[in-house]
């Protein structure tokens, strides 16, 4: 079983930055697709970005050019650098993992989430 724990959320003003972290523990597979999702109140969960085992990244159009997903395999940690934050980025952010080399859109493991609030 893989456990994921997010951290780094908080409250910032429009234009500010935050860096989210997601640390994996427990049973470790050799290859992962990892992703960030978010869910705002009253809205469906949406994918923000994902990174496959070779480091290829994909972003939602709404965050392209502002957010950067990365990972440190030695630390079993996934990151999401969020710049130029907007009020519409306010949501609970979740990390997810799938023990596969490529990203197929389905994730077996989820964290509990970290709240990001952006005020205008």
């Amino acid at each position: 079983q893989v456990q994921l724990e997010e951290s780094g959320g908080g409250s910032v003003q429009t234009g500010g930055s935050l860096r989210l972290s997601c640390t994996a523990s427990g049973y470790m597979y050799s290859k992962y697709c990892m992703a960030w999702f978010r869910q705002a109140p009253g809205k469906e969960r949406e994918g923000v970005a994902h990174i496959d085992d070779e480091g290829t990244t994909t972003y939602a159009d709404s965050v392209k050019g502002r957010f950067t997903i990365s990972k440190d395999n030695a630390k079993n940690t996934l990151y999401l650098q969020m710049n130029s934050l907007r009020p519409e980025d306010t949501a609970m952010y979740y990390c997810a993992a799938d023990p596969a080399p490529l990203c197929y859109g389905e994730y077996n493991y989820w964290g509990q989430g970290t709240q990001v609030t952006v005020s205008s």
Side-chain angles (χ1 to χ4, degrees):
Q1 191 77 342
V2 177
Q3 289 84 44
L4 302 175
E5 183 173 4
E6 302 95 337
S7 61
S11 297
V12 296
Q13 292 188 328
T14 298
S17 298
L18 285 172
R19 188 176 81 155
L20 306 184
S21 299
C22 172
T23 302
S25 61
Y27 181 81
M28 302 307 294
Y29 295 87
S30 60
K31 296 183 183 295
Y32 284 96
C33 165
M34 298 196 73
W36 288 99
F37 287 79
R38 66 186 181 186
Q39 187 167 20
K43 294 188 176 181
E44 292 187 356
R45 185 176 63 197
E46 64 171 340
V48 175
H50 60 72
I51 182 167
D52 69 18
D53 193 72
E54 293 191 355
T56 300
T57 58
T58 302
Y59 297 91
D61 287 344
S62 58
V63 306
K64 279 181 182 176
R66 301 188 298 123
F67 290 10
T68 302
I69 189 172
S70 62
K71 60 179 179 173
D72 185 332
N73 290 333
K75 296 181 178 180
N76 295 325
T77 301
L78 177 73
Y79 301 100
L80 185 68
Q81 177 66 45
M82 305 186 295
N83 298 327
S84 301
L85 282 162
R86 304 167 180 169
E88 54 264 40
D89 295 317
T90 295
M92 185 72 77
Y93 283 71
Y94 300 90
C95 74
D98 180 40
L102 300 177
C103 296
Y104 300 106
E106 296 194 4
Y107 298 88
N108 294 320
Y109 303 103
W110 292 84
Q112 294 299 307
T114 186
Q115 178 68 37
V116 172
T117 302
V118 185
S119 59
S120 57

